[in-house]
Amino acid sequence: MNKPLAVGLLALALAGCASSQPEQPFTLTLAHINDTHSHFEPSDTRLTLNKKTVYTRIGGHPRLLSYANVLREQAAEADQPLLFLHGGDGWQGSGYFKLNEGTMNADLLSRLQLDAMVLGNHEFDLDNQRLAAFIQSVEFPVLAANLDASEDADLQAADNLTPYVLYAFKGNKKKRIDSVADAGKSPVVAVMGLVLEDMPEIASHTGQVRFAQEIATAQQTVNALKEQGVKYIVALTHLGLDRDQRLAEKVNGIDVIVGGHSHSLLGDFSNLGWAKEAPYARQFNNPDGLGQTCVVQAGKFAQAMGQVSVSFTLDGRVERCEGTNTLLADKVFYSDIRRQDKHRLPDAQQQLMAKAITELPNITQIDEDDALRAHIDEQYRPALLKAYGKVIGHVPLPLAHVRLPIANKGSQVAPLVAASQLYWVNTPEVQSITGRRVDFSLVAVGAVRNNIEPGELKEGNVNLEVLPFVNAMSLVSLTGHQMAGLLLETVNGSIGAEAHSGKLPYGAGLRYTFNETSRGRGYVARMEYLHDGQWQRIDPNARYQVALTGYHASGNDGWNTFYEAQKVATDRLDLAYVEGNLTVFPVARLGKSEQGAIEVHYQNQALDCQQSGVTCNADARAFIDYVQARRPILTALPESGVKLNRL
């Protein structure tokens, strides 16, 4: 049913005449996850329980399945409707994705028995042929109402990609239907998908797909659903929390927004030593002053599952919306993140920790699903272990990766990545090819995907987990004035009302201070670079050589200053390996396709990372070389170089 939105709405309108939904109380339970990012294995974590710091593992897909089955059993016993939804970005984030390129995701997500999933931006990380194969192979509908794939050769035939899906309920039993007329007197829930309207600026490979405005499409779809007779409408989105809240306040008729993209673990987790975020299941008034929309999201990396119960009035408005996110914990605790046998807590303390968890509303202990655990271990894990390769260094203490600095304590990993890139591009071997000395490097915090845990550091930890995106390195010059503009747009874009914190820049050989003057806005108070061992102010009129990934050098992900600086001409050089040899690809200029995707125009031979013999993992290679040559005992740098003075 992959049809342009207008065709889908016409079908709704034609079916509407015969519909008549019953006037009866209705309660719906939604279980939801988002931004799982191929974290099929559980995550190591630190918790505070009984005022004691302990370490365990949380989440992973076998644990998600176990908990989903518990919720299904509870719903069946109560004869209550239940839907299990995924808020997008199932792709990327672990070595499993690098090795299997979506096939394992399709396999395991189908085994979770989802009822629907919305497309995230990382689902466009490969190419549309492989995305189409994923969409067609999963056993649940993939949603995107504001996406038109009718002109894309690969996605236009993906009939499992649809604007919305309808489910009719008879107690706990549900049936997917084509129209309300097929439901008889059973209540019908519509789940519509909404994806980023600026997807071509964020995602790597959108092909000929067109993306419509989120708010306009949402209202248009809701109106058509209401005209058909649908009373209960869920928006499954991958927009981020701030855009979800704006959607709730700008669109009439959405009952619940189940979101993703901003990795927001909604709720107060300070009782576990974690952060306190915005409330879970917060309700927002619609513009008509009559309806309310409930907004939920469930964190990241398959660590938690959200569960929200929504009760409706007889005329179909939200009367009550309550629930929580629940962290899914293992049943064994340790005194150290390395979780060796000598660190395992004594049995008496294990029991105390388990008892503490039973008294908390936002965490539970649950075993992994045995069958799914065995399937991963037999089908996928052996290849993963083999792919991790040789040891390149050792990590004595955990290196945390957080996106936005809290009390000016930012990521410990991103500065190391930036330092590795500056080191690598200025090695004699690379300089002999480029003929350039680079002044500083930049890294978008979202390009770094994981913490680095203590113990051995292998090549695979770097190129399969920390830097999985397969990026060429780029050298390009900017003026000091342009640098100030870049910092202004990226920091404002990371802390603002429609924030996507992944665009925040860290650097090496560069440091800056940003002062917030109003919510989500501010100015660059200081910007310096390291020259001959001394920090100096950046001259607005001078030009500086910058090293960064080709993705961000093209202006993607809101780094628009780079695009504007290279529209007419550029001195940019892209670096990748051809048959194992580092090769320079000079860039002539940047442009945009009709769909708005940024295009790189090369002077001579184009860099095609999909071509046989071409390897575009220079960013990961730089980090590996840096650790081996300079930091075989890998510890955090003394400072991150980023200082945010928040209100």
Side-chain angles (χ1 to χ4, degrees):
M1 289 193 296
N2 177 21
K3 52 202 171 197
L5 179 63
V7 177
L9 298 185
L10 176 61
L12 284 173
L14 292 175
C17 301
S19 65
S20 57
Q21 282 292 283
E23 297 289 334
Q24 59 185 21
F26 183 66
T27 297
L28 173 68
T29 298
L30 299 172
H32 60 98
I33 53 178
N34 56 272
D35 297 277
T36 51
H37 285 295
S38 306
H39 278 248
F40 304 121
E41 302 288 356
S43 303
D44 296 327
T45 194
R46 170 179 173 170
L47 300 173
T48 300
L49 292 169
N50 286 340
K51 299 181 180 180
K52 180 181 178 64
T53 297
V54 295
Y55 299 88
T56 188
R57 308 197 83 191
I58 57 173
H61 283 55
R63 200 163 270 116
L64 287 180
L65 179 56
S66 286
Y67 194 63
N69 286 337
V70 168
L71 299 184
R72 290 185 181 108
E73 290 172 5
Q74 293 175 350
E77 290 176 359
D79 199 26
Q80 286 293 311
L82 171 71
L83 290 174
F84 185 19
L85 307 176
H86 193 306
D89 270 7
W91 283 25
Q92 280 295 359
S94 78
Y96 282 123
F97 181 78
K98 291 276 286 189
L99 294 176
N100 298 283
E101 297 185 325
T103 58
M104 183 180 180
N105 300 75
D107 179 12
L108 267 65
L109 290 175
S110 293
R111 290 172 187 266
L112 293 184
Q113 303 167 55
L114 296 168
D115 293 305
M117 173 180 173
V118 67
L119 284 178
N121 51 295
H122 283 291
E123 271 73 66
F124 289 92
D125 275 356
L126 298 177
D127 56 53
N128 286 353
Q129 182 178 6
R130 279 175 284 192
L131 176 55
F134 167 83
I135 291 170
Q136 291 299 87
S137 61
V138 296
E139 297 176 3
F140 49 83
V142 179
L143 309 181
N146 59 325
L147 176 154
D148 180 1
S150 60
E151 296 182 10
D152 188 86
D154 297 306
L155 288 175
Q156 63 181 346
D159 57 8
N160 194 38
L161 175 61
T162 183
Y164 55 83
V165 62
L166 302 178
Y167 284 104
F169 284 94
K170 186 175 182 180
N172 178 249
K173 295 180 181 179
K174 65 176 177 287
K175 178 183 179 182
R176 183 177 174 181
I177 58 175
D178 292 328
S179 73
V180 176
D182 298 330
K185 294 185 178 181
S186 298
V188 174
V189 176
V191 184
M192 67 174 180
L194 291 170
V195 302
L196 292 160
E197 62 188 35
D198 51 349
M199 187 78 80
E201 299 177 17
I202 296 175
S204 302
H205 305 286
T206 54
Q208 301 302 307
V209 178
R210 297 178 182 274
F211 299 88
Q213 292 183 343
E214 300 149 6
I215 290 176
T217 303
Q219 190 64 74
Q220 185 182 9
T221 308
V222 169
N223 291 346
L225 288 165
K226 292 290 187 182
E227 184 177 345
Q228 185 191 3
V230 177
K231 291 177 63 175
Y232 314 112
I233 298 176
V234 177
L236 185 58
T237 74
H238 193 82
L239 307 177
L241 182 60
D242 288 310
R243 289 197 193 186
D244 282 344
Q245 294 176 351
R246 183 185 67 172
L247 193 72
E249 294 174 329
K250 297 292 185 181
V251 176
N252 294 314
I254 299 175
D255 298 310
V256 187
I257 296 175
V258 177
H261 188 52
S262 54
H263 296 190
S264 302
L265 183 64
L266 297 181
D268 184 358
F269 286 82
S270 58
N271 59 348
L272 295 165
W274 285 31
K276 179 181 180 179
E277 293 203 32
Y280 182 87
R282 184 179 174 189
Q283 291 180 249
F284 296 84
N285 293 324
N286 294 164
D288 61 9
L290 300 175
Q292 287 191 322
T293 302
C294 182
V295 177
V296 297
Q297 192 177 147
K300 62 181 180 179
F301 300 166
Q303 297 174 345
M305 188 178 296
Q307 180 186 7
V308 61
S309 176
V310 190
S311 297
F312 297 88
T313 61
L314 287 175
D315 58 355
R317 287 182 294 165
V318 174
E319 182 176 48
R320 181 181 60 85
C321 186
E322 298 176 343
T324 187
N325 280 320
T326 303
L327 290 175
L328 308 179
D330 193 8
K331 295 183 176 180
V332 183
F333 296 95
Y334 299 84
S335 61
D336 190 284
I337 193 68
R338 287 168 287 188
R339 297 182 301 105
Q340 298 175 0
D341 288 342
K342 63 181 180 180
H343 303 132
R344 181 172 174 141
L345 297 184
D347 289 347
Q349 291 189 34
Q350 298 279 356
Q351 293 172 9
L352 288 175
M353 299 302 130
K355 183 176 183 297
I357 284 179
T358 61
E359 298 172 353
L360 298 176
N362 52 1
I363 185 170
T364 189
Q365 290 180 298
I366 189 164
D367 292 324
E368 295 185 319
D369 180 83
D370 290 337
L372 189 54
R373 175 77 271 162
H375 181 64
I376 293 172
D377 289 346
E378 293 170 8
Q379 293 290 116
Y380 300 106
R381 188 168 172 77
L384 183 78
L385 295 177
K386 182 179 179 181
Y388 270 74
K390 65 180 182 180
V391 175
I392 60 172
H394 290 79
V395 183
L397 295 170
L399 297 172
H401 179 57
V402 295
R403 291 192 169 192
L404 288 179
I406 301 173
N408 287 312
K409 291 184 179 180
S411 173
Q412 294 175 306
V413 183
L416 287 168
V417 173
S420 74
Q421 295 178 358
L422 184 60
Y423 158 79
W424 185 78
V425 296
N426 282 332
T427 59
E429 294 80 7
V430 177
Q431 279 191 299
S432 67
I433 299 173
T434 64
R436 296 186 186 180
R437 179 76 183 176
V438 175
D439 296 302
F440 47 82
S441 64
L442 293 172
V443 170
V445 70
V448 180
R449 302 309 296 178
N450 276 348
N451 302 329
I452 300 179
E453 303 300 342
E456 293 181 339
L457 183 68
K458 296 182 178 181
E459 289 184 341
N461 294 119
V462 177
N463 58 37
L464 298 176
E465 296 177 355
V466 178
L467 299 170
F469 292 129
V470 191
N471 279 309
M473 287 298 299
S474 295
L475 310 183
V476 62
S477 65
L478 287 184
T479 66
H481 180 74
Q482 289 168 327
M483 270 300 304
L486 174 74
L487 294 179
L488 193 65
E489 72 177 347
T490 53
V491 179
N492 279 330
S494 299
I495 65 175
E498 298 181 11
H500 170 41
S501 58
K503 60 185 70 172
L504 182 83
Y506 282 79
L510 174 82
R511 66 184 185 185
Y512 67 90
T513 299
F514 185 93
N515 293 336
E516 189 178 29
T517 54
S518 60
R519 186 180 182 273
R521 306 297 296 176
Y523 66 96
V524 180
R526 183 187 65 170
M527 185 173 57
E528 299 174 319
Y529 82 111
L530 193 62
H531 180 66
D532 292 336
Q534 300 292 323
W535 287 103
Q536 299 183 11
R537 293 186 65 180
I538 288 183
D539 182 348
N541 299 313
R543 296 195 75 85
Y544 300 90
Q545 280 290 322
V546 186
L548 69 166
T549 66
Y551 177 74
H552 288 96
S554 294
N556 290 298
D557 203 17
W559 288 40
N560 190 58
T561 294
F562 275 101
Y563 173 76
E564 293 295 330
Q566 299 175 79
K567 285 197 302 185
V568 177
T570 181
D571 64 353
R572 173 172 153 187
L573 302 176
D574 285 356
L575 299 171
Y577 292 92
V578 179
E579 303 297 343
N581 298 312
L582 188 63
T583 305
V584 171
F585 295 82
V587 177
R589 63 179 181 85
L590 301 180
K592 286 191 177 181
S593 68
E594 291 183 4
Q595 288 72 35
I598 296 172
E599 298 176 333
V600 182
H601 299 277
Y602 289 91
Q603 292 183 19
N604 302 306
Q605 180 184 359
L607 172 57
D608 181 1
C609 294
Q610 306 299 322
Q611 184 178 339
S612 176
V614 177
T615 305
C616 295
N617 67 339
D619 58 341
R621 187 72 256 167
F623 193 86
I624 291 168
D625 290 352
Y626 172 69
V627 171
Q628 290 178 307
R630 291 296 184 89
R631 301 180 69 86
I633 303 299
L634 190 63
T635 57
L637 296 172
E639 59 176 312
S640 71
V642 178
K643 185 176 182 181
L644 296 184
N645 293 321
R646 305 296 301 274
L647 292 175

